Structure formats: structure tokens, C-alpha cells
Amino acid sequence: AVARTHRSRAARIAAFSERALGTPYAADSLGEGSGAACDADPLIDLSRVDCVTFCEQVLSLAISRNYDEAFRNLQRIRYRDGIISFAARNHFVMADWLPHNQWLLKDITGDAGGTLCQVMTKTIDRGGFAASRGCADAGEWPQPQRISSRYIPTPHLPKTVLQLKGSDVLGLITRPEGIFASHLGFIIKSGDGSTLFRHASSIHKKVVDESIEHLYRRIEKDRQIAGFALIA
């Protein structure tokens, strides 16, 4: 019904994500399915989400005509070349998930931030991450890789998101080494004209709407958050 009544992808993202409000939070809620050697969590689970799986499942629903198509698109989003394995999963948002989903998503941080953007460079250690999860033998892992990514500093959040059309993915960029994006959610333009951050919150233990003003005040105080990236 959503696909029939909401024509644009942005409208479908807004509608499907709204239906998910209140869904319980569960970290690492998806895996490679029953029988998987490393992570036997299900390949799809709309009954519980974390911040990444919430975005992935909403995106897959928004671009699909039915459940079967959504399931296939979800695996294409979550895995490099759609190959279901822990080693092929897009574990790192800015280093794997975004580059391998150019068919669907684009980094619009530079377009939105312009000269406000700054660049952060980090070492992404996929093998080390796999070992920390007890999955070092789940596949061949590349050598640690130095990667640079643009972000917009936190002070510019309120003004920048006002310029967005809505249903964009916002990633909070963290200062500590090892990962770029520590949290993901959708920028939603609500019917009353307000702008919201809709996300699976580990604090509230469910999918919630948070005003941009509240999000800004919260991350402004967080010394680990350097800013944000935008994906559409």
C-alpha cells in the first residue's frame, strides 16, 4: 500500500520509517541466518532493529514492490555484490556500506556542506574487527586501510539540515580511531513543517523521533562527536 500511495522514494522512506516507530532496539540484530558459522541472527527482522539495520530495512522496503523484492534488495544493500557471508558484509558505513551501494546511495556531505566540510582520516582494520567478534576465520581479510572521509562539523547541523529535502541518511561522525560513523538515522520533514531525526536509539531502546534542536544540543555536548555526514 505504501508503494502505491507514495510515489517518491523520499515519501516511502518517511512512511515506512514512521511505521517502525516504537520498534524495539537490539544491537547487531541481523546476521547471515540460521546455520551461519559466525553470526546466526536472521537475514531480515522487522520486529527489532539497531541504527544500521533500521536504515537498511527501511531503504530496502522503500525501493521494492513486495516483501520478496525487499528481502533481495536488503541483501544487496548489506553485502558486497549481494554475497551473503560475514566477510562480504558492509560492516563499516563510510568505508564499505556507502562505497558498495553507489547504485542506491550518494554521499552528499560535500554538496550540503561546501566549504564548511572538514576531512577526517582513519585506519579501517576489517580483520581486527572480525577478530573482535570471534570471526577472524570467517573469510579473507584485507590489510588495514587508511581512508579519508568528509564531514560537516557539529555547529552547522541545524542550518544544514533545514536545506535538505528529507529522508536523507544522517551519520554521526565520531573522533575515536577505528570507525567513522557511530550512529545512523533519517532526516524526516514532518507534516507540520518541523525537521526530525528518526533513528533506532540505544538510549530509548526503540525507534524514536528526535527534534533536530534536541539532537544538536545532545551531540554538541558529546566530545566524541566531531560532526555529521549526509547520504541520500
Side-chain angles (χ1 to χ4, degrees), residues 154-168:
T154 298
H156 305 293
L157 174 69
K159 188 174 181 179
T160 303
V161 298
L162 284 178
Q163 303 167 12
L164 301 175
K165 295 178 181 177
S167 297
D168 317 81

Side-chain angles (χ1 to χ4, degrees), residues 97-130:
W97 192 76
L98 180 57
H100 296 148
N101 280 302
Q102 294 296 301
W103 60 276
L104 176 64
L105 301 167
K106 178 187 176 186
D107 185 347
I108 62 166
T109 307
D111 296 335
T115 57
L116 300 175
C117 290
Q118 294 188 20
V119 176
M120 185 179 286
T121 302
K122 293 186 177 184
T123 299
I124 302 300
D125 184 0
R126 297 172 179 85
F129 167 77

Side-chain angles (χ1 to χ4, degrees), residues 154-163 170 172 186-190 192-199 204 209-222 228:
T154 298
H156 305 293
L157 174 69
K159 188 174 181 179
T160 303
V161 298
L162 284 178
Q163 303 167 12
L170 181 144
L172 297 182
F186 291 106
I187 297 296
I188 299 294
K189 300 287 187 175
S190 65
D192 63 5
S194 61
T195 304
L196 304 168
F197 182 52
R198 183 169 293 162
H199 60 121
H204 295 95
D209 278 344
E210 182 177 10
S211 72
I212 291 300
E213 293 77 14
H214 187 275
L215 173 66
Y216 173 63
R217 290 196 302 271
R218 181 164 63 83
I219 67 173
E220 187 185 27
K221 301 171 187 173
D222 190 337
F228 58 100

